Amino acid sequence: MQPQIAVVIPYYQTEPGILARAIESIAAQTHRGPIQVIVVDDASPLPAAAQLHELALPPSVSVEIVQRPNGGPAAARNTGLSRVSHGARHVAFLDSDDRWSPEHLARASLALSQGYDFYFADLLQLDQSVGAFARGGKIMASEHTPLAQGEELHAYRGDMFDQIIRGNVIGTSTVVFDRSRFPSIRFREEYYSAGEDYLCWMDFAQAGARFAFSARCEATYGRGVNVYSGARFGTAKHLERVHNEFKYRHATARLHRVTPEQKRFLEAKKAELREDFTRDLLHMLRHGQLPVRILARQFMLDPLLAAEPFRLVARQVLHRPAS
């Protein structure tokens, strides 16, 4: 039977058992019908095949492992999208260290069947017991139209593109979209760890996608490989993190149509990040560290960085209490 839903999982892990738990949460879905699972092994130190060879799955769930050179999650997801069966109308994303609640795909299918193109849901972030919607305060289900079918399913009301710019509410491991409507949208691989998923959701929004969401927590995020683990202020990882967020904010205005108000918002965010980058950099310099490569990359994006240390010093002098 042709699968109705395909699930794309980018995989890069160092701890055994993580991927198996993600696949088991797919096998436990109440959705009726065949499910195609595509695991894209992004040159993981712990190969995907070794994690799944003893996993017992129902006949309705097929798993394909695709090997590729390491390129990051965006490249891995794009590889997975290229392997989706022609018969699969809906595509879901699940990160290898996350798990779904059993009703996730059934609820997504129900929402999409009511005239929507893109589905997302509330989720539990790492070590949390309160859903991301409530914790972030960026979306309230009561402000959105309930769907005719399905409890706690809603049509998103508002400008999703603007929502993502000001406060993204879409968790990647909860996304299910109608591939027949958007067969060519892909992740931007050059923005590795720089909001490549947010930029992709913006592409859907500006292409006219109709969004629906679930107010139930339908995914639980796990503790897998994290590129920003240990990213404390004044460290190279924190500097990289600030650089990547700046790169994402810069790309948003360059790649998409933004209003003057949105542009001002993005420029204000970039100014905050420029200051954060400078503070990180000065701290590292005081400790004898000169991160030449990332500094060069930041200068290419942001020539205004050159004046930022002088601005910070001037502000400190102007605000220094009189003796």
Side-chain angles (χ1 to χ4, degrees), residues 23-44:
I23 301 291
E24 286 168 350
S25 79
I26 299 173
Q29 292 297 297
T30 59
H31 165 77
R32 293 182 179 179
I35 301 173
Q36 177 192 20
V37 180
I38 304 164
V39 178
V40 182
D41 189 327
D42 195 36
S44 173

Side-chain angles (χ1 to χ4, degrees), residues 7-303:
V7 183
V8 173
I9 303 178
Y11 175 74
Y12 185 97
Q13 295 293 346
T14 59
E15 181 183 330
I18 289 178
L19 178 61
R21 288 193 290 271
I23 301 291
E24 286 168 350
S25 79
I26 299 173
Q29 292 297 297
T30 59
H31 165 77
R32 293 182 179 179
I35 301 173
Q36 177 192 20
V37 180
I38 304 164
V39 178
V40 182
D41 189 327
D42 195 36
S44 173
L46 200 65
Q51 297 301 298
L52 301 180
H53 72 281
E54 293 183 352
L55 195 62
L57 297 173
S60 59
V61 177
S62 64
V63 177
E64 175 188 5
I65 297 174
V66 181
Q67 304 281 346
R68 59 155 292 128
N70 181 258
R77 291 189 188 105
N78 286 345
T79 297
L81 286 169
S82 70
R83 302 295 288 261
V84 171
S85 167
H86 292 294
R89 178 172 180 175
H90 297 156
V91 176
F93 296 113
L94 178 64
D95 284 352
S96 60
D97 50 350
D98 300 337
R99 290 170 292 144
W100 284 336
S101 64
E103 73 279 2
H104 173 59
L105 290 183
R107 287 172 59 79
S109 296
L110 179 61
L112 294 173
S113 72
Q114 296 177 68
Y116 296 89
D117 310 307
F118 189 108
Y119 177 86
F120 63 99
D122 201 356
L123 58 98
L124 291 173
Q125 293 164 317
L126 184 63
D127 297 330
Q128 297 297 325
S129 58
V130 177
F133 287 0
R135 292 185 69 244
K138 299 168 185 173
I139 184 170
M140 294 182 61
S142 60
E143 297 176 351
H144 300 268
T145 306
L147 297 191
Q149 301 177 55
E151 294 182 0
E152 298 184 83
L153 295 179
H154 300 264
Y156 178 85
R157 294 179 60 187
D159 183 343
M160 179 57 80
F161 179 76
D162 191 74
Q163 172 79 70
I164 297 168
I165 288 177
R166 298 178 189 277
N168 178 63
V169 294
I170 300 173
T172 303
S173 284
T174 72
V175 168
V176 185
F177 75 94
D178 187 335
R179 178 169 165 262
S180 67
R181 285 263 294 136
F182 302 96
S184 60
I185 287 183
R186 294 292 185 270
F187 293 86
R188 298 178 187 271
E189 299 179 17
E190 66 271 30
Y191 292 96
Y192 172 74
S193 296
E196 70 274 14
D197 47 354
Y198 293 8
L199 293 170
C200 186
W201 313 151
M202 289 178 187
D203 288 340
F204 277 98
Q206 291 209 320
R210 295 158 292 182
F211 292 82
F213 71 91
S214 169
R216 292 183 185 175
C217 290
E218 297 182 11
T220 301
Y221 280 17
R223 191 185 306 278
V225 170
N226 186 336
V227 295
Y228 294 129
S229 177
R232 299 181 304 278
F233 168 76
T235 64
K237 282 189 176 181
H238 193 269
L239 195 69
E240 184 85 23
R241 184 174 190 167
V242 174
H243 166 75
N244 280 333
E245 186 174 349
F246 188 99
K247 184 178 178 181
Y248 153 63
R249 296 292 185 181
H250 185 73
T252 298
R254 190 175 68 83
L255 298 172
H256 298 97
R257 302 182 302 275
V258 297
T259 66
E261 184 180 352
Q262 289 167 345
K263 186 173 182 179
R264 286 192 294 271
F265 178 87
L266 291 167
E267 288 300 322
K269 287 294 183 183
K270 286 166 62 177
E272 292 174 7
L273 292 164
R274 183 180 300 120
E275 181 173 325
D276 290 344
F277 187 94
T278 303
R279 291 185 186 279
D280 264 335
L281 179 63
L282 292 175
H283 179 88
M284 294 181 72
L285 290 173
R286 284 196 294 269
H287 289 80
Q289 302 174 57
L290 179 60
V292 175
R293 290 184 180 179
I294 190 170
L295 182 58
R297 296 204 306 269
Q298 185 67 19
F299 266 126
M300 289 180 65
L301 277 179
D302 184 28

